[in-house]
Amino acid sequence: MKIAPSILSADFANMARDIRTVQEGGADMIHVDVMDGHFVPNLTFGPGMVAAIRPVTSLPLDVHMMVDDPEQWIPAFAKAGADTMLIHVEATPHIYRAMQLIKEHGVKAGVVLNPGTSLAAIEEVLPIVDQVLIMTVNPGFGGQAFLPAMADKVARLAKMRAARDWHFAIEVDGGISDQTIASVAKAGADICVAGSYVYAEGDSPAQQINKLRVAAQ
Ligand code: DX5
Ligand code: ZN
């Protein structure tokens, strides 16, 4: 299981320190939550943040775009140093073109589903994506409760992947803790995003990451 700490729960006044802490603590990538105050009711980071943290870490930057009109931001986030760009299928009528555009910029392309969106909405792009992110909370904020019904959605997606010999990674995001990670691990998730559990709960970020790995096994 790959662990992707979300810097949404980091100390924004000590961002570089908090990114180094999770890198040293064994994180596999850094998850960057981009919110525009329209697609979701919260405002966070732009391409300037991605450019600023790029030299701070050697870990891949996993950029989760919770924005309206996401295509317009692809060139800027690619230039800033995103390794994967994840776009919500709910945010564009042209998800296929958006995935193509991301790849044309030399970035890995990911598609994201809100809890209320069916897997059928992304079926046609599955052959060309590198990653599929299943939201396990309604997007917008850290620290929300995991939606247990989403484990079955992950299992159904994993089954589709196996049946068609597709190779995208399955990622989950929201409410991941040592209590919830086993259900999504068992269902077939490859990458778990964790914000508040890593940065704001219990022990040090390194210990929290380790607890997630143990619980996922
Ligand atoms: C929610 C974000 C998540 C968030 C997860 O909209 O996409 O990445 O940071 O936070 P936790 O792990 O606290 O649910
Ligand atoms: Zn996210």
Side-chain angles (χ1 to χ4, degrees):
M1 177 67 72
K2 289 187 172 169
I3 306 294
S6 166
I7 57 169
L8 185 61
S9 291
D11 176 356
F12 289 5
N14 288 287
M15 191 57 87
R17 179 200 69 188
D18 280 6
I19 287 171
R20 287 188 198 104
T21 300
V22 294
Q23 175 162 351
E24 285 158 18
D28 296 290
M29 54 187 85
I30 300 292
H31 186 80
V32 183
D33 286 307
V34 175
M35 305 186 187
D36 69 348
H38 291 273
F39 184 72
V40 288
N42 197 2
L43 264 177
T44 57
F45 317 125
M49 175 59 88
V50 170
I53 65 176
R54 180 66 285 176
V56 170
T57 178
S58 55
L59 294 177
L61 300 179
D62 192 50
V63 180
H64 179 189
M65 312 279 292
M66 286 161 275
V67 302
D68 281 344
D69 197 9
E71 288 94 336
Q72 68 163 314
W73 295 108
I74 292 170
F77 279 97
K79 191 166 177 240
D83 293 278
T84 305
M85 232 180 283
L86 299 141
I87 286 185
H88 275 259
V89 67
E90 303 87 359
T92 173
H94 299 293
I95 193 67
Y96 203 99
R97 184 160 64 202
M99 294 297 108
Q100 290 175 314
L101 191 59
I102 293 171
K103 289 162 84 136
E104 279 165 21
H105 281 82
V107 176
K108 283 191 187 173
V111 64
V112 192
L113 283 148
N114 279 333
T117 305
S118 166
L119 289 172
I122 59 165
E123 206 173 335
E124 306 306 326
V125 294
L126 290 178
I128 64 163
V129 299
D130 300 296
Q131 214 158 296
V132 177
L133 172 51
I134 302 292
M135 291 306 299
T136 43
V137 298
N138 293 301
F141 302 94
Q144 302 182 84
F146 178 78
L147 298 168
M150 294 302 118
D152 182 65
K153 195 179 190 180
V154 171
R156 281 180 280 130
L157 178 62
K159 210 171 155 191
M160 286 164 77
R161 178 175 64 176
R164 299 292 297 273
D165 204 28
W166 288 326
H167 296 288
F168 53 81
I170 301 177
E171 180 174 25
V172 292
D173 183 6
I176 297 300
S177 72
D178 59 348
Q179 303 299 305
T180 59
I181 197 169
S183 68
V184 287
K186 191 160 168 263
D190 308 295
I191 306 165
C192 282
V193 176
S196 52
Y197 183 78
V198 167
Y199 278 114
E201 288 169 24
D203 306 313
S204 71
Q207 286 169 299
Q208 295 295 95
I209 290 168
N210 197 45
K211 282 195 271 182
L212 286 178
R213 281 196 205 288
V214 171
Q217 276 169 5

